[in-house]
Amino acid sequence: MDPLQFLVPLGWLSEVGPMLPYAILVMAVANLATRHIAHRHHVEQGSDGDSVEPYTPHAFTNIGLLLLTFLFMLDAPVSGTILAVIVVTMLIADLFELEARNVEARNDMPIEAPKSSIAASAVLMVFVAYYSLFFLVSGFWNQFVVA
């Protein structure tokens, strides 16, 4: 018996649950792409004005990652919680990096890359790729690692 079965109807989640890691992987790759495009827009905005505004497609991928991660927490609680901590860390880093870009734009400094957000995205990509694409290396992995 699932402890949440009376709180949340989870019948649909058993059908969608195995596909969630792949959806999160696709959204994480899209997040990296929009992060690169957002940085280019921030550089343009910083050279033209005194402020930098959030890039809407990047905000969409951030919110999508957060929602998919919370859904994944219902399907795989331990892995989902680890992933949620990484995603929330990335979102907080994004907020601080956006404010840092605003300070750089106001003070006519060169706009730097969001290093902490890129690091959090890299950690996210490593974990999601490991979790969702493990079947590619499982034969090699099981030869050398004894559980």
Side-chain angles (χ1 to χ4, degrees):
M1 180 171 94
D2 193 4
L4 295 176
Q5 77 181 26
F6 299 112
L7 190 61
V8 179
L10 296 176
W12 63 273
L13 190 61
S14 63
E15 300 294 325
V16 178
M19 293 179 278
L20 282 174
Y22 305 112
I24 293 171
L25 180 65
V26 168
M27 191 66 82
V29 170
N31 187 279
L32 280 174
T34 59
R35 183 177 309 282
H36 177 68
I37 297 169
H39 175 64
R40 285 193 306 182
H41 282 289
H42 291 166
V43 169
E44 291 172 9
Q45 289 175 351
S47 64
D48 294 342
D50 288 342
S51 68
V52 172
E53 296 179 3
Y55 185 60
T56 306
H58 183 62
F60 173 75
T61 58
N62 279 340
I63 299 301
L65 269 172
L66 188 68
L67 293 176
L68 285 173
T69 300
F70 286 159
L71 269 177
F72 188 58
M73 280 177 64
L74 293 174
D75 187 53
V78 174
S79 300
T81 303
I82 293 168
L83 192 59
V85 168
I86 297 169
V87 168
V88 169
T89 301
M90 186 184 69
L91 290 175
I92 291 171
D94 270 343
L95 290 174
F96 281 106
E97 291 285 353
L98 183 66
E99 290 304 315
R101 302 300 79 85
N102 277 323
V103 169
E104 291 169 353
R106 278 192 299 261
N107 294 327
D108 294 326
M109 299 168 64
I111 304 293
E112 294 183 9
K115 295 177 190 89
S116 62
S117 299
I118 292 171
S121 292
V123 171
L124 174 72
M125 281 298 298
V126 167
F127 184 76
V128 172
Y130 169 77
Y131 192 84
S132 62
L133 302 176
F134 183 73
F135 67 91
L136 295 175
V137 295
S138 63
F140 179 74
W141 183 267
N142 291 334
Q143 287 178 354
F144 297 104
V145 178
V146 179

